[in-house]
Amino acid sequence: MEDGGPHIRRRVSVRKRNRGSIESLCVAPAPAELQPSEDLEDEGAAGRRRRKTGSQEPAQENDSEEDMFNGYDSFTENSFLAQVEDLEQKYTQLPEHRELVTDSATKGLCSESMENKLPVFAVSSSADPETNQHIKNQSAADGPAGPEPDSDLLFDVPSSQILYFERIQNSSNDLGDQSAKERDGNSHKSLNEEPAFSHQELPQPNDDLSEARASSETSRRKSIADHLKSAMAGNATAQTPVFSRSKHLKETLLSEEISVARKAMESPSDDLGPFYSLPSKVRDLYAQLKGIKKLYDWQHTCLTLSSVQKRKNLIYSLPTSGGKTLVAEILMLQELLCRQKDVLMILPYVAIVQEKIASLSSFGVELGFFVEEYAGSKGKFPPTKRREKRSLYIATIEKGHSLVNALIETGRISSLGLVVIDELHMIGEGSRGAILEMTLAKVLYTSKTTQIIGMSATLNNVQDLQEFLKAEYYTSQFRPVELKEYLKVNDTIYEVDSRAENGMTFSRLLNYKYSDALKKMDPDHLVALVTEVIPNYSCLVFCPSKKNCENVAEMLCKFLSKDFLNHREKEKSEVIKNLRDMGNGKVCPVLKRTVPFGVAYHHSGLTSDERKLLEEAYSTGVLCLLTCTSTLAAGVNLPARRVILRAPYVAREFLRRNQYKQMIGRAGRAGIDTVGESILLLQEKDKQQVLELINGPLENCYSHLVEELTRGIQTLFLSLISLKIATSLGDLYQFMNSTFFGVQQKILLKEKSLWEITVESLSYLTEKGLLRRDSCGASEEAQCCFHITKLGHASFKGAIDLAYCDILYRDLKKGLEGLVLESLLHLVYLTTPYDLAAQSEPDWMVYFRQFSQLSPAEQNVAALLGVSESFIGKKASGQAIRKVDKNIVNRLYLSFVLYSLLKETNVWSVSEKFNMPRGHVQSLLTGAASFSSSVLHFCEELEEFWVYRALLVELTKKLTYCVKAELIPLMEVTGVLEGRAKQLYGAGYKSIMHLANANPDVLVRTIEHLSRRQAKQIVSSAKMLLHEKAQTLQEEAEELLRLPADLPGLGASNTEKA
């Protein structure tokens, strides 16, 4: 950025001193004068400019009346205005010249050039279209029609002149209307001739018309010089418009650097520009916002790979904490800024999506692109089409798939320049892996210009993935902090050593003094292991189950020294206070006992507000130890000095190497620790299995596309036919061969062939009424085409699990017969997820108690569903009854939970009322919001369900936020959850506009337990959201005002003019 300084100063001085003759305004400039270099000027060009502009003294602001024009030429005979007068007299001696100067030169300069180059002023053009077309045609033939955005002409005309020329133009139009027909004839006659101000002889207009125009103009206007004198004087004393010139110069410099970077990327040269083909501002932002001043060697090597430069697909793998994400971010910024394409980033969990959006919003605000969230019920389908700025879509696996479908359906998949997948190994994990595979297969099949980048810390069978993605592979074992792995058996600690005979070597004995009571309570010596590092360093303890997390946290606090209570005591009391505020006066009794010691548990039983608060407290060192489940390893980034694995199990299943690697990868914090340690606690009986675990290879990734039928291959076929990617049996079979499953079919298929599986899946979809098959003979089977039905299309658009689509249709159809709208219960039931209902088991006593409290209208809902109070009462008393559909009963129970939550908006009270963990209540709410959004899209495709559309829009919004109405605008900002929204609202920040214009320092002082980094992220996210909404409204308005291309008669009119 330092290189830009002299350039900016030189441009400022040019604005003040470069005053040419009026011909420079009225005559089309030569290309050499108008076309600025897109790079920073070289020394020779700078010298020529200095000779042209004279003095290089920096311009100074001066508001005094003595030097009113401050650096502009004075009113002398050789001045700019004197030249204006001379030229005016020269061109206004004859009537035809006077008209041409006014009409052609003024319109051509001010209406076209200034309107395009100075968007601050709304200069409207109502000039004769033929005259304008004439000028444009001639400009295209002779050279550039006007200056580029950073041309010197931008600074040569003060705002008063622009407004003056606009007035001249408007008044000229008034006069010209009197004789439009005659002028039209003359204009049409001279369309292919030289411009009006060239030296060729011009056709003479009618004498009577010339005299009328001459007398009218004489009485209508003073001389141009008089107008300019008064306008410039007024401009000099007028208040400066709200337009930051320094901001404009910074934006100009940034656009120049992007232009240079774009050329560098297109050229075969090895010169990567200021920062890996990106503007130097990107480098400065990384230093300022993330503290990254230099890349690791492997990152530099990866970014300079020839395959990356040629935009080939890439898979790269490094240990956790190696810095994989930074490489992906730089590649995304190259695509957004230099290639001007949209980017999709797919992340595994909602929490990581929100963390990444908060992290990148500042870059979007500074560099001029949008960051859009596609997670849960958030996201617009199809995404807003933007003409000026590019979008970075950050999505979960499911939303990423829906987004790609929408882009293919609207013919916009080519606008997607890059797809980045974090945790690529998840392609081998159940139904979510199948959805990820479908997404990538469609991108590969439909767009040859979209690049795919996949990254992971735990990949083994990379060759299969390379073949599927047609990608290059890069790997490194780099870690910024050394990781030492240990095993603990009884009192002995061994270091993992692959060179040793049995894979480990003796390290040390634990010498912590244990009392008999402590030995009984802590047989695994956890107290000894954690007190070696806390409270000065951080520690994570991974436990097999959620209940074990809470038990271990409480056990540790019983035996920790009382001195731990004094460590950052005030800040820990603030954490307790904030937890109490989030729970409306209630706080978890376990956390209330453990947080004063700097210890907390972390698992899905906590609300998202609680998890976020504890993560922030741990990141800042207020909490020094978290007991957590394995999901933390794949979630948000919370590194530690020491990671302890309580047992080699996740629930009841033995630990897999991929899981083990992810967990121990959290050990060692770059820039803080010099070493990271992991200790796996094991019993003697598990020793051999653990040695195989730590020394064995990573597990292979295998496709789940066929294994997950209704959410895999059948969903894929339905979407392929709906999107018209493949509609015949042969085409669908060929597509399957190009998938990850197709690459691995020899390994995965034992009994049936891929052709047989394809035929069976299509038959199932046809029988279910989702597809319709053309009649064809056996010999033409491969060419036999399939068509999607209305139900099939609705299921595809709603992303409904095909196992439930017919049940959903039946429930919605039945609901129309007697939809109860006196309360929300009936609608809530219809949007309660089927899969969650199948997994739940009601507490029958709670069920009966809640059922007996229903109002008559709510009891009517239960009666319509066939669930009676007597049935629930008998189940509560332990009687076995099987008359009612279990799925309906379970689903109604969950709808009671959701209905109570919507009425009370308090997770704690609902959790106690239904005897459910508050985290599970919130997960149910999140699932219902997402399913409600899917049902809404489903109903939009079926005319018979029109009544549900408006109802579900509001219900989806209620389920998404589930807070008081005044907090919803604040919670639209990424990272602002209910607890934070309440704090902000209480402090007077009641809208997105308030947050977007907030001062982060003031936020830190006003809002409790808010770090400066978090405050800046909230402000950046609010600015991003505000800009996005404003841009969308602006583009909608422009679209409404644009002349339709298919307007009847438009083509005939153009033909006549030609």
Side-chain angles (χ1 to χ4, degrees):
M1 292 296 285
E2 293 80 11
D3 298 341
H7 178 64
I8 292 173
R9 286 196 295 274
R10 184 163 63 248
R11 296 291 293 278
V12 172
S13 65
V14 167
R15 180 183 190 275
K16 297 289 187 180
R17 309 299 299 175
N18 187 15
R19 295 292 166 197
S21 66
I22 193 67
E23 283 87 349
S24 66
L25 296 178
C26 295
V27 181
E33 295 173 4
L34 288 177
Q35 194 70 31
S37 169
E38 290 191 59
D39 198 350
L40 297 177
E41 296 163 298
D42 58 29
E43 289 303 316
R48 288 193 298 274
R49 175 169 279 183
R50 280 193 291 271
R51 288 193 295 274
K52 177 182 175 184
T53 60
S55 170
Q56 284 297 313
E57 294 175 9
Q60 299 176 354
E61 293 185 8
N62 189 348
D63 295 331
S64 70
E65 295 182 4
E66 294 178 351
D67 185 14
M68 192 157 51
F69 298 103
N70 186 27
Y72 288 105
D73 295 323
S74 60
F75 292 103
T76 64
E77 292 190 6
N78 293 325
S79 70
F80 170 63
L81 293 178
Q83 295 175 50
V84 169
E85 285 194 16
D86 292 342
L87 198 65
E88 178 196 13
Q89 291 172 7
K90 174 183 174 182
Y91 276 86
T92 55
Q93 286 172 355
L94 293 174
E96 64 270 25
H97 286 156
R98 181 166 62 249
E99 178 198 346
L100 289 167
V101 169
T102 303
D103 269 352
S104 300
T106 306
K107 289 177 195 170
L109 173 67
C110 299
S111 298
E112 186 170 303
S113 296
M114 293 305 105
E115 189 175 6
N116 291 335
K117 308 311 174 190
L118 291 174
V120 178
F121 303 97
V123 182
S124 61
S125 176
S126 56
D128 182 1
E130 292 182 1
T131 305
N132 276 345
Q133 185 63 42
H134 172 75
I135 294 170
K136 288 177 184 175
N137 289 346
Q138 188 59 39
S139 300
D142 294 346
E148 293 297 321
D150 55 352
S151 168
D152 294 341
L153 190 55
L154 177 67
F155 300 116
D156 281 344
V157 184
S159 57
S160 57
Q161 288 175 248
I162 298 165
L163 298 174
Y164 164 72
F165 282 126
E166 181 185 357
R167 289 197 297 273
I168 293 295
Q169 174 191 322
N170 292 337
S171 55
S172 297
N173 289 341
D174 295 338
L175 176 66
D177 289 341
Q178 298 171 9
S179 54
K181 293 181 180 179
E182 289 88 347
R183 192 165 65 223
D184 283 352
N186 291 335
S187 299
H188 181 71
K189 185 175 179 181
S190 60
L191 263 178
N192 297 317
E193 296 170 8
E194 290 293 313
F197 35 78
S198 71
H199 296 292
Q200 282 194 2
E201 230 179 279
L202 297 167
Q204 295 294 329
N206 181 282
D207 290 340
D208 296 336
L209 178 62
S210 299
E211 289 174 13
R213 189 173 291 131
S215 61
S216 178
E217 291 223 358
T218 303
S219 60
R220 182 179 59 83
R221 56 191 285 273
K222 298 185 290 181
S223 73
I224 294 178
D226 289 343
H227 274 289
L228 290 180
K229 285 177 184 176
S230 61
M232 290 176 70
N235 188 55
T237 56
Q239 185 178 358
T240 305
V242 182
F243 180 76
S244 170
R245 189 155 186 278
S246 62
K247 181 181 178 182
H248 173 74
L249 290 171
K250 287 179 182 177
E251 289 175 353
T252 301
L253 181 61
L254 178 62
S255 66
E256 286 180 356
E257 285 199 351
I258 290 174
S259 179
V260 172
R262 192 179 298 134
K263 285 186 174 181
M265 291 175 71
E266 293 169 356
S267 69
S269 168
D270 292 333
D271 180 16
L272 293 178
F275 183 71
Y276 297 96
S277 300
L278 287 167
S280 55
K281 186 170 184 177
V282 176
R283 177 191 61 207
D284 298 340
L285 283 172
Y286 270 109
Q288 174 190 340
L289 299 175
K290 298 193 174 187
I292 298 173
K293 297 181 179 177
K294 186 181 178 183
L295 271 63
Y296 298 130
D297 290 343
W298 83 264
Q299 291 171 329
H300 173 79
T301 303
C302 187
L303 287 167
T304 53
L305 289 172
S306 61
S307 56
V308 173
Q309 301 297 315
K310 294 174 183 175
R311 295 190 75 251
K312 292 183 179 178
N313 295 344
L314 176 70
I315 300 169
Y316 62 100
S317 176
L318 281 98
T320 303
S321 303
K324 297 184 295 297
T325 306
L326 180 59
V327 170
E329 286 180 8
I330 290 173
L331 293 173
M332 290 192 300
L333 291 173
Q334 286 179 359
E335 203 69 30
L336 289 161
L337 300 179
C338 301
R339 297 190 183 97
Q340 290 292 297
K341 292 276 191 174
D342 296 329
V343 173
L344 169 62
M345 186 179 200
I346 299 176
L347 300 170
Y349 304 111
V350 174
I352 309 179
V353 167
Q354 293 175 341
E355 184 183 45
K356 184 58 64 180
I357 285 175
S359 168
L360 291 178
S361 287
S362 299
F363 286 83
V365 171
E366 293 291 333
L367 299 171
F369 62 85
F370 291 113
V371 181
E372 301 183 36
E373 179 180 353
Y374 281 78
S377 60
K378 291 187 177 179
K380 187 176 180 182
F381 301 101
T384 304
K385 187 176 182 180
R386 307 191 187 280
R387 289 190 299 275
E388 295 181 6
K389 293 186 178 182
R390 299 296 98 203
S391 290
L392 168 58
Y393 310 114
I394 302 182
T396 55
I397 291 171
E398 294 78 9
K399 288 292 182 179
H401 182 226
S402 298
L403 181 66
V404 166
N405 285 339
L407 290 173
I408 294 172
E409 189 173 28
T410 54
R412 290 165 49 195
I413 190 65
S414 59
S415 68
L416 195 63
L418 175 65
V419 176
V420 173
I421 309 98
D422 195 8
E423 310 295 355
L424 182 60
H425 62 271
M426 289 194 73
I427 200 171
E429 296 186 10
S431 61
R432 302 194 80 211
I435 293 171
L436 181 57
E437 180 179 347
M438 288 189 278
T439 306
L440 297 176
K442 287 175 187 175
V443 171
L444 287 165
Y445 197 87
T446 58
S447 176
K448 303 305 178 188
T449 58
T450 304
Q451 185 183 15
I452 295 175
I453 304 288
M455 52 183 168
S456 174
T458 54
L459 285 177
N460 190 31
N461 55 331
V462 182
Q463 294 80 6
D464 290 347
L465 284 166
Q466 278 185 267
E467 186 178 345
F468 166 48
L469 296 176
K470 302 175 181 60
E472 302 288 321
Y473 179 58
Y474 177 84
T475 186
S476 169
Q477 294 305 310
F478 172 82
R479 270 187 64 94
V481 177
E482 182 187 2
L483 173 63
K484 293 185 177 179
E485 299 176 48
Y486 297 97
L487 305 175
K488 180 192 155 304
V489 184
N490 300 323
D491 290 342
T492 309
I493 294 180
Y494 300 90
E495 183 173 359
V496 174
D497 186 356
S498 57
R499 294 166 297 181
E501 186 177 346
N502 60 353
M504 61 182 190
T505 56
F506 173 80
S507 176
R508 61 188 174 97
L509 286 171
L510 276 177
N511 56 3
Y512 190 84
K513 293 182 179 179
Y514 266 67
S515 63
D516 292 338
L518 183 52
K519 282 181 182 177
K520 188 176 181 180
M521 293 290 294
D522 182 25
D524 293 324
H525 307 97
L526 272 174
V527 174
L529 293 172
V530 301
T531 50
E532 289 178 348
V533 289
I534 66 170
N536 297 321
Y537 299 99
S538 56
C539 182
L540 291 175
V541 179
F542 284 101
C543 303
S545 67
K546 290 192 284 272
K547 189 61 181 173
N548 193 236
C549 288
E550 298 177 33
N551 293 340
V552 168
E554 284 205 277
M555 183 275 293
L556 288 172
C557 292
K558 283 180 182 177
F559 296 102
L560 286 178
S561 166
K562 301 298 180 186
D563 295 338
F564 283 86
L565 294 171
N566 302 325
H567 182 75
R568 304 184 73 162
E569 182 180 4
K570 184 179 178 182
E571 289 150 290
K572 287 185 288 194
S573 64
E574 283 293 320
V575 174
I576 295 286
K577 181 178 180 299
N578 286 333
L579 285 170
R580 185 175 286 108
D581 291 341
M582 288 174 182
N584 291 324
K586 297 180 181 179
V587 64
C588 170
V590 176
L591 291 175
K592 189 175 180 180
R593 289 190 290 270
T594 62
V595 168
F597 286 91
V599 178
Y601 68 89
H602 184 290
H603 58 59
S604 60
L606 294 167
T607 66
S608 51
D609 274 318
E610 289 173 322
R611 285 200 299 271
K612 191 170 184 66
L613 178 63
L614 295 176
E615 287 163 8
E616 290 170 359
Y618 177 83
S619 297
T620 54
V622 176
L623 297 178
C624 53
L625 187 146
L626 290 180
T627 59
C628 49
T629 53
S630 60
T631 52
L632 182 77
V636 292
N637 185 25
L638 293 175
R641 172 66 172 267
R642 177 175 288 180
V643 170
I644 299 171
L645 281 69
R646 176 78 173 74
Y649 292 91
V650 173
R652 295 179 181 178
E653 294 183 8
F654 198 81
L655 197 64
R656 290 184 284 113
R657 180 159 175 80
N658 288 356
Q659 294 172 319
Y660 171 73
K661 279 291 186 183
Q662 278 196 320
M663 291 181 191
I664 68 171
R666 296 297 181 195
R669 297 169 297 172
I672 301 174
D673 298 328
T674 55
V675 67
E677 301 171 338
S678 72
I679 303 175
L680 171 58
L681 314 186
L682 64 144
Q683 305 296 322
E684 195 69 46
K685 64 182 179 67
D686 295 323
K687 189 174 178 180
Q688 189 56 41
Q689 205 170 351
V690 166
L691 289 174
E692 292 173 5
L693 166 76
I694 61 174
N695 293 311
L698 293 164
E699 289 83 5
N700 288 335
C701 275
Y702 292 113
S703 170
H704 282 69
L705 194 59
V706 171
E707 189 177 325
E708 299 286 338
L709 286 173
T710 58
R711 299 190 70 182
I713 188 171
Q714 291 169 3
T715 297
L716 174 62
F717 286 169
L718 192 70
S719 64
L720 291 176
I721 293 167
S722 180
L723 295 170
K724 296 180 173 54
I725 295 173
T727 55
S728 70
L729 179 58
D731 290 344
L732 291 164
Y733 175 71
Q734 289 301 322
F735 187 96
M736 279 299 296
N737 276 304
S738 68
T739 62
F740 188 41
F741 181 86
V743 171
Q744 296 182 325
Q745 58 181 300
K746 291 180 180 178
I747 304 170
L748 299 176
L749 292 177
K750 303 295 182 185
E751 300 173 358
K752 298 177 183 178
S753 68
L754 182 57
W755 177 266
E756 290 173 323
I757 289 173
T758 303
V759 171
E760 282 181 8
S761 298
L762 289 168
S763 298
Y764 171 84
L765 293 171
T766 306
E767 290 168 9
K768 202 155 188 175
L770 303 173
L771 292 179
R772 187 182 71 257
R773 177 175 176 166
D774 287 345
S775 56
C776 53
S779 60
E780 300 171 342
E781 187 179 18
Q783 284 74 43
C784 192
C785 287
F786 291 83
H787 306 279
I788 195 160
T789 63
K790 286 185 177 180
L791 178 61
H793 190 65
S795 301
F796 160 67
K797 294 290 280 188
I800 305 293
D801 188 334
L802 300 187
Y804 304 115
C805 64
D806 51 347
I807 303 173
L808 174 64
Y809 179 82
R810 189 170 63 246
D811 286 347
L812 291 171
K813 190 80 172 172
K814 187 178 179 181
L816 289 177
E817 298 171 5
L819 188 62
V820 178
L821 295 178
E822 289 182 54
S823 75
L824 285 173
L825 181 60
H826 201 169
L827 279 176
V828 168
Y829 172 81
L830 292 172
T831 55
T832 301
Y834 290 98
D835 54 344
L836 294 181
Q839 299 165 12
S840 71
E841 189 61 41
D843 183 320
W844 294 106
M845 285 304 297
V846 172
Y847 203 164
F848 181 72
R849 188 164 55 248
Q850 293 302 315
F851 203 103
S852 62
Q853 295 172 6
L854 294 178
S855 68
E858 292 160 355
Q859 287 179 356
N860 190 26
V861 174
L864 286 170
L865 298 173
V867 181
S868 65
E869 186 174 359
S870 62
F871 169 79
I872 303 298
K874 288 176 181 178
K875 290 292 288 184
S877 62
Q879 298 181 37
I881 301 174
R882 298 183 180 178
K883 290 182 180 179
V884 181
D885 188 332
K886 180 183 176 184
N887 290 325
I888 293 176
V889 175
N890 291 2
R891 196 168 176 227
L892 182 61
Y893 180 72
L894 293 185
S895 65
F896 281 1
V897 178
L898 290 168
Y899 182 52
S900 297
L901 197 54
L902 287 177
K903 287 194 296 184
E904 300 179 29
T905 68
N906 186 339
V907 173
W908 270 91
S909 62
V910 174
S911 169
E912 291 177 354
K913 185 185 292 184
F914 288 89
N915 195 26
M916 291 175 70
R918 56 195 180 281
H920 291 183
V921 173
Q922 197 168 59
S923 297
L924 172 63
L925 181 66
T926 304
S930 183
F931 187 63
S932 177
S933 176
S934 295
V935 175
L936 172 60
H937 293 305
F938 180 87
C939 292
E940 284 173 344
E941 300 302 318
L942 296 169
E943 188 63 33
E944 60 199 291
F945 294 145
W946 63 270
V947 71
Y948 287 118
R949 295 174 197 168
L951 296 172
L952 290 176
V953 168
E954 284 304 310
L955 180 63
T956 302
K957 193 172 184 180
K958 286 178 179 290
L959 290 169
T960 299
Y961 298 107
C962 195
V963 293
K964 292 179 181 178
E966 63 264 22
L967 298 182
I968 290 178
L970 298 175
M971 291 183 66
E972 289 181 13
V973 178
T974 302
V976 176
L977 301 176
E978 183 181 359
R980 186 70 78 204
K982 287 178 179 177
Q983 287 180 310
L984 292 167
Y985 191 86
Y989 298 94
K990 300 183 179 182
S991 68
I992 298 174
M993 290 78 78
H994 285 156
L995 287 182
N997 292 286
N999 185 331
D1001 294 327
V1002 175
L1003 277 179
V1004 171
R1005 291 196 300 269
T1006 309
I1007 308 300
E1008 294 179 349
H1009 208 74
L1010 181 70
S1011 69
R1012 180 173 171 76
R1013 179 182 64 85
Q1014 294 157 359
K1016 291 176 78 172
Q1017 286 183 345
I1018 287 174
V1019 172
S1020 294
S1021 296
K1023 282 182 180 177
M1024 176 60 63
L1025 186 59
L1026 197 62
H1027 289 174
E1028 184 185 325
K1029 288 189 173 187
Q1031 183 78 19
T1032 301
L1033 289 172
Q1034 185 178 341
E1035 291 186 354
E1036 284 178 2
E1038 289 175 1
E1039 190 67 32
L1040 285 172
L1041 296 173
R1042 186 176 291 111
L1043 190 68
D1046 56 350
L1047 183 68
L1050 187 63
S1053 174
N1054 289 338
T1055 305
E1056 282 179 23
K1057 288 183 181 179

